[in-house]
């Protein structure tokens, strides 16, 4: 599974790790991805979403129904 958030679309950033001697090597900056289960009362089932920590806070504030609507509007499958 890739490090990709279903709600916000957060994905890894790329850059360089710079050592003390200033040598540069490639590295990835991964988002804080978590797997979280939510109950969808409108559909009578639970869904397992792959969300970043920031997106989990967003779901807590806007509600799971609105979050699923946003994911589907982005073209994601829930």
């Amino acid at each position: 599974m890739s490090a990709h958030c279903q709600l916000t679309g957060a994905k890894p950033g790329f850059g360089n790790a710079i050592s003390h001697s200033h040598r540069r090597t490639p590295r990835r900056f991964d988002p804080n991805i978590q797997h979280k289960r939510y109950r969808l009362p409108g559909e009578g089932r639970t869904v397992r979403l792959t969300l970043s920590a920031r997106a989990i806070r967003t779901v807590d504030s806007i509600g799971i129904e609105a979050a699923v609507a946003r994911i589907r509007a982005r073209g994601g499958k829930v």
Side-chain angles (χ1 to χ4, degrees):
M1 193 70 173
S2 65
H4 185 269
C5 177
Q6 289 180 297
L7 181 62
T8 62
K11 55 189 176 184
F14 295 89
N16 289 312
I18 303 179
S19 70
H20 181 70
S21 64
H22 219 66
R23 290 181 61 116
R24 294 157 193 253
T25 55
R27 63 159 293 180
R28 277 169 58 130
F29 295 91
D30 287 330
N32 186 4
I33 297 295
Q34 310 290 326
H35 298 287
K36 191 130 166 83
R37 288 177 60 166
Y38 289 99
R39 176 92 178 127
L40 274 179
E43 297 180 17
R45 66 187 184 107
T46 59
V47 292
R48 186 170 183 254
L49 299 176
T50 304
L51 301 172
S52 63
R54 186 180 79 181
I56 291 172
R57 291 197 304 270
T58 302
V59 170
D60 290 343
S61 65
I62 68 172
I64 185 60
E65 298 285 346
V68 167
R70 283 190 193 181
I71 292 170
R72 288 181 174 149
R74 292 183 73 237
K77 185 179 175 207
V78 178

